[in-house]
Amino acid sequence: MGPVAALELRSVDLHSPRNNRGHHTQEMGLKRLIVRRGQPFVLQLHCNRPFHPGTDRVTFVAETGPAPKEHLGTRATFSLTKTRGGNVWSVSDFTIDSNSLFVSLFTPANAVIGYYTLKLEISQGQGHGVTHLLGTFILLFNPWSSEDDVYLPSEILLQEYIMMDYGFVYKGHERFITAWPWNYGQFEEDVIDICFEILNKSLYFLENPSKDYSQRNDVVYVCRVVSAMINSNDDNGVLQGNWGEDYSLGVSPLVWNGSVAILRQWAARGGQPVKYGQCWVFAAVMCTVMRCLGVPTRVVSNFRSAHNVDGNLTIDTYYDRNAEMLSTRKQDKIWNFHVWNECWMIRKDLPPGYNGWQVLDPTPQQTSSGLFCCGPASVKAIKEGEVHLAYDTPFVYAEVNADEVVWLLEDGHAQEILAHNSSSIGKEISTKMVGSDQRQNITSFYKYPEGSPEERSVFIKASRKMLGSRKALSRLLDLLGSGGFRNQPMQLQLHLARMPEWGQDVQLKLHAHRMPDRAHPQGPIRLEVRFCAQALMHNGSTREPLWRQIAHLNLDFGEEVQWPLLLPYDNYRNKLTDEKLIRVSGIAEVEGMRRFLLVLKDISLEPPHLSIEVSERAEVGKALSVYITLTNTRMVALSHCTMELEGSGLIHGQIANDLGTLAAGHTIQIHLDLYPFKAGRRQLQVLISSNEVKEIKGYKAIFVAAARVS
């Protein structure tokens, strides 16, 4: 019997389709091996002879990053043995079938994520050996693994927060919340490469590539890097923010239907920031990136969101005697809404009890550790007022809990407090409901019921930590003592006479009710009410007045009066922002008493509605007829209409059409055929823009059946 031939590798099969399906990455494609950490994957080695476990010595080498090192966690070597030892790189099993060797490789649940090369070293004796490149694979976070810091123990939640590639962003105003459909598209084939390109363009990587790679096992670190890289304030991040009204050098944030076009444009231009984004665009793109990397993520909207730069838990707004809301040099604002992300993770860097959803905000508002990023801040810590816990918890706490103080300004000086609202900020905190197209109100995750003993207790605790004991006590006394101005002789409210639509007059009613008052227990009182209407910006500031009116009212004790108000279309035509929001404010002066009352009404003007219908059955590879109908019910034509369609699994990229002008009272119907290429639940997004109305948006949920086997 002659000597046994040296073991030689003839071929390798990474079994990408089988492994990807087992690792929930099949939606990213089946050609490349994409696996999740903390879970074995199988490969097949075909050799010149059967493998002999007793004599053949085989070692695997896995490497990632620019300069792989074992002590940095970017290089691992492990032998072909069945003695797997815990949460380490290892061979968890192997079987021999003639000249084939089936090997099950295990990656630790705390491994660095990224691109890996996998090599095989076959020892030939006397220190000689041959090294073979087996191939490359991508390693992601694994929320299905109980050992991973992003573990989410619910298949229903995993389907929503990892596998769902579309959703909704909630915009508008607390009383007029709009569901804005969005194509996340995290499984489009090139998106995963763009996500890692984002990490490789970060300042952390550019400063120290090896150190940056070594920290990519830590979800807290990766989240902070992505939060900084979605905006471009410090770096060549993905999006450039623009909160003005001139988008001529790029695209209005309202035009985007999804993340894929933004990410592809950023990558195609070598990492030049895409123009332009605002908060919902930043958050939606971050959701795409984090879901792609394997971190359960959702998009959250906070209505009447405080931007409290000085950290004093108070936002001051100012009105003059003519009811005009005045601009201020202070950066503190109350945004109509603000959008951020929540990512699910274990927080090993915090005391026990603060795992779960964490706020991350990629919109550039303030710096954190020198960069424009925010979070992760534990939602539980925010609710309990534990503002000392990392990261950026005081800023997020103020966004949902700050108080609003409204001042009357005369001759440049604040004369008196018109209102002190301790419950007007942080309203209707919303996200998409799991397994549904409905909105879920998650305000109770962030704070106790407004005015409850628990809420006040938490507010005092947070105030002491943020302001110091003395200031917090002074602040509390102010709060308790500010109820005096509420004891007014009159109650005023503004109501809409009917649902306001863009292009039509706005009809309002002032409801005035005389209240019991010790100062004037009997006899009528006379009111002069000055009204002002202004375009309301997304960031809470206003434009110049577009309408004014004065009303004089006489009310006797216990009397109620309705006073009609008309805001004509011609007054607001061409004077609103793209959001089509109007703030109507009124300041009433009680004659002879020098007492002032404030009444406010924010109005969201409804755009025209479009409808989307599809043929009954959608199937992969078969034509799907889509009918889009838009009727212009307004008094004016819609000029330069354009239409964009998007939807992962339904359309490769986008479909764009010019529709021309839609005359007042006319209807346009567009018919087109789509050819779905992915099965399952899909969403078709449609955006029609015109010079007059930028955001006529609709969506259609479509279930696509797998192709029938003939």
Side-chain angles (χ1 to χ4, degrees):
M1 186 173 175
V4 176
L7 187 68
E8 296 176 6
L9 180 69
R10 295 289 168 82
S11 64
V12 61
D13 186 349
L14 298 179
H15 287 289
S16 298
R18 170 186 169 185
N19 285 316
N20 289 8
R21 289 188 184 98
H23 285 247
H24 306 93
T25 62
Q26 70 275 13
E27 288 280 322
M28 297 180 183
L30 301 175
K31 295 176 183 177
R32 294 192 289 177
L33 180 59
I34 305 172
V35 292
R36 299 185 186 278
R37 63 188 194 175
Q39 182 178 337
F41 63 95
V42 175
L43 50 87
Q44 181 181 357
L45 307 176
H46 185 70
C47 302
N48 63 322
R49 62 165 174 78
F51 175 72
H52 298 154
T55 56
D56 291 327
R57 286 189 294 168
V58 172
T59 303
F60 291 92
V61 181
E63 295 180 325
T64 187
K69 298 278 194 310
E70 295 206 16
H71 74 276
L72 292 176
T74 51
R75 185 177 193 270
T77 59
F78 48 101
S79 301
L80 185 61
T81 63
K82 291 189 180 181
T83 56
R84 177 184 152 201
N87 187 34
V88 294
W89 289 87
S90 57
V91 174
S92 59
D93 195 12
F94 67 85
T95 57
I96 303 165
D97 181 8
S98 185
N99 288 5
S100 286
L101 182 63
F102 291 86
V103 183
S104 180
L105 299 184
F106 179 81
T107 62
N110 61 349
V112 167
I113 63 165
Y115 296 96
Y116 278 82
T117 57
L118 185 64
K119 299 173 186 174
L120 182 72
E121 295 178 353
I122 302 176
S123 176
Q124 304 280 330
Q126 282 95 40
H128 297 291
V130 179
T131 300
H132 301 272
L133 177 63
L134 299 181
T136 61
F137 65 93
I138 296 174
L139 191 64
L140 301 175
F141 291 109
N142 191 355
W144 280 268
S145 167
S146 60
E147 301 300 313
D148 199 307
D149 284 351
V150 299
Y151 176 53
L152 182 57
S154 164
E155 186 60 33
I156 293 172
L157 296 184
L158 287 165
Q159 289 301 313
E160 181 71 44
Y161 298 131
I162 290 287
M163 302 303 293
M164 185 67 72
D165 62 3
Y166 65 85
F168 298 95
V169 178
Y170 295 99
K171 298 177 55 190
H173 186 278
E174 61 171 309
R175 295 190 185 92
F176 317 99
I177 296 174
T178 303
W180 183 268
W182 194 270
N183 177 35
Y184 295 123
Q186 69 266 32
F187 300 127
E188 298 288 320
E189 287 200 20
D190 54 344
V191 167
I192 190 168
D193 301 302
I194 298 171
C195 290
F196 283 110
E197 196 178 333
I198 288 170
L199 297 182
N200 289 346
K201 286 275 199 304
S202 80
L203 294 180
Y204 294 104
F205 175 82
L206 297 175
E207 190 176 290
N208 191 333
S210 294
K211 182 182 178 184
D212 171 70
Y213 255 83
S214 73
Q215 292 178 276
R216 293 186 186 181
N217 66 327
D218 179 3
V219 63
V220 172
Y221 176 79
V222 172
C223 282
R224 281 182 66 75
V225 171
V226 174
S227 173
M229 277 300 297
I230 297 299
N231 69 72
S232 60
N233 282 40
D234 308 293
D235 41 46
N236 283 331
V238 177
L239 281 157
Q240 182 174 324
N242 185 340
W243 288 268
E245 296 169 64
D246 180 6
Y247 306 119
S248 57
L249 297 179
V251 171
S252 163
L254 293 166
V255 169
W256 302 113
N257 277 324
S259 307
V260 179
I262 294 168
L263 291 168
R264 285 177 175 164
Q265 183 177 320
W266 176 81
R269 296 181 180 177
Q272 288 300 306
V274 176
K275 300 174 181 178
Y276 292 104
Q278 289 182 10
C279 64
W280 70 92
V281 187
F282 290 114
V285 172
M286 182 161 182
C287 183
T288 296
V289 173
M290 299 315 300
R291 285 187 185 180
C292 184
L293 295 177
V295 181
T297 304
R298 61 189 186 182
V299 174
V300 173
S301 298
N302 176 39
F303 291 89
R304 288 191 57 80
S305 185
H307 181 90
N308 187 211
V309 176
D310 54 18
N312 67 352
L313 287 175
T314 301
I315 307 291
D316 296 307
T317 53
Y318 301 91
Y319 289 83
D320 66 14
R321 290 278 295 274
N322 295 314
E324 179 183 343
M325 184 180 172
L326 304 171
S327 61
T328 171
R329 292 181 181 177
K330 292 178 68 175
Q331 289 181 286
D332 285 11
K333 292 274 195 311
I334 302 172
W335 293 59
N336 299 327
F337 68 95
H338 183 55
V339 186
W340 57 66
N341 301 97
E342 286 178 3
C343 293
W344 181 274
M345 68 190 74
I346 292 169
R347 290 296 300 273
K348 291 178 179 175
D349 58 322
L350 299 183
Y354 299 100
N355 299 332
W357 290 118
Q358 315 286 321
V359 171
L360 284 131
D361 189 349
T363 299
Q365 296 186 88
Q366 68 168 17
T367 58
S368 174
S369 301
L371 294 179
F372 278 94
C373 67
C374 179
S378 163
V379 173
K380 183 69 183 300
I382 295 162
K383 181 170 183 175
E384 300 299 335
E386 303 294 352
V387 292
H388 62 290
L389 297 177
Y391 289 87
D392 309 305
T393 310
F395 185 78
V396 183
Y397 180 85
E399 286 183 302
V400 299
N401 283 297
D403 283 1
E404 177 188 18
V405 179
V406 184
W407 295 87
L408 178 66
L409 206 70
E410 288 188 277
D411 300 323
H413 300 288
Q415 293 296 320
E416 66 175 88
I417 293 177
L418 293 170
H420 185 160
N421 302 318
S422 61
S423 60
S424 66
I425 286 172
K427 311 293 284 186
E428 295 290 332
I429 304 175
S430 302
T431 192
K432 178 185 176 296
M433 193 176 286
V434 174
S436 163
D437 287 352
Q438 299 302 306
R439 178 178 67 90
Q440 180 184 359
N441 187 326
I442 58 170
T443 308
S444 62
F445 287 61
Y446 280 83
K447 52 186 179 180
Y448 291 97
E450 294 286 4
S452 67
E454 296 92 341
E455 185 261 344
R456 286 293 91 186
S457 172
V458 167
F459 188 87
I460 294 164
K461 177 180 20 172
S463 297
R464 283 181 174 148
K465 288 179 178 177
M466 292 173 68
L467 308 175
S469 298
R470 187 170 296 177
K471 284 187 179 178
L473 180 61
S474 166
R475 176 93 176 71
L476 179 62
L477 291 173
D478 287 347
L479 186 68
L480 295 174
S482 61
F485 60 83
R486 294 196 191 99
N487 182 26
Q488 297 282 19
M490 191 73 67
Q491 187 179 68
L492 299 178
Q493 289 180 316
L494 277 169
H495 298 287
L496 287 165
R498 60 182 174 86
M499 181 62 71
E501 296 182 348
W502 179 86
Q504 298 181 359
D505 297 343
V506 178
Q507 297 177 20
L508 299 122
K509 286 182 181 177
L510 174 68
H511 180 88
H513 180 206
R514 173 77 187 278
M515 307 294 288
D517 180 45
R518 290 175 186 169
H520 283 73
Q522 295 179 352
I525 61 172
R526 182 171 171 80
L527 285 183
E528 180 183 78
V529 191
R530 295 172 181 255
F531 295 100
C532 177
Q534 296 167 272
L536 186 60
M537 318 273 275
H538 169 219
N539 67 0
S541 57
T542 52
R543 281 183 171 179
E544 292 294 309
L546 52 86
W547 170 86
R548 294 185 188 275
Q549 194 162 323
I550 299 177
H552 292 94
L553 304 177
N554 290 296
L555 275 100
D556 216 333
F557 184 76
E559 188 179 358
E560 293 188 36
V561 170
Q562 302 259 11
W563 186 276
L565 296 165
L566 182 71
L567 171 53
Y569 166 63
D570 284 341
N571 279 69
Y572 70 78
R573 183 178 186 174
N574 303 325
K575 293 182 181 176
L576 302 185
T577 65
D578 292 335
E579 276 88 6
K580 301 289 186 278
L581 279 169
I582 299 173
R583 171 161 292 174
V584 177
S585 45
I587 289 187
E589 182 178 0
V590 183
E591 291 187 4
M593 295 175 63
R594 194 174 164 75
R595 296 182 72 172
F596 297 93
L597 293 84
L598 174 70
V599 61
L600 297 175
K601 185 71 175 178
D602 290 342
I603 301 166
S604 176
L605 299 174
E606 284 280 305
H609 293 278
L610 58 84
S611 68
I612 307 165
E613 299 297 331
V614 298
S615 51
E616 288 184 14
R617 178 181 165 82
E619 184 180 325
V620 170
K622 294 283 183 69
L624 176 67
S625 290
V626 178
Y627 299 90
I628 300 161
T629 306
L630 174 66
T631 299
N632 182 7
T633 57
R634 308 308 188 254
M635 298 186 293
V636 293
L638 301 176
S639 59
H640 295 97
C641 296
T642 60
M643 179 182 71
E644 283 197 4
L645 282 78
E646 191 168 327
S648 285
L650 300 171
I651 299 168
H652 291 284
Q654 296 170 303
I655 295 174
N657 284 330
D658 286 328
L659 305 179
T661 296
L662 182 57
H666 285 222
T667 297
I668 187 171
Q669 185 175 73
I670 304 104
H671 168 239
L672 59 143
D673 288 339
L674 304 180
Y675 291 84
F677 53 94
K678 284 185 178 181
R681 289 188 296 169
R682 303 289 161 197
Q683 186 190 70
L684 175 66
Q685 295 99 13
V686 179
L687 171 69
I688 295 180
S689 294
S690 69
N691 285 354
E692 291 74 22
V693 184
K694 288 290 187 292
E695 47 175 317
I696 305 170
K697 197 146 190 175
Y699 73 95
K700 187 72 174 178
I702 300 171
F703 182 82
V704 181
R708 296 184 212 186
V709 179
S710 55

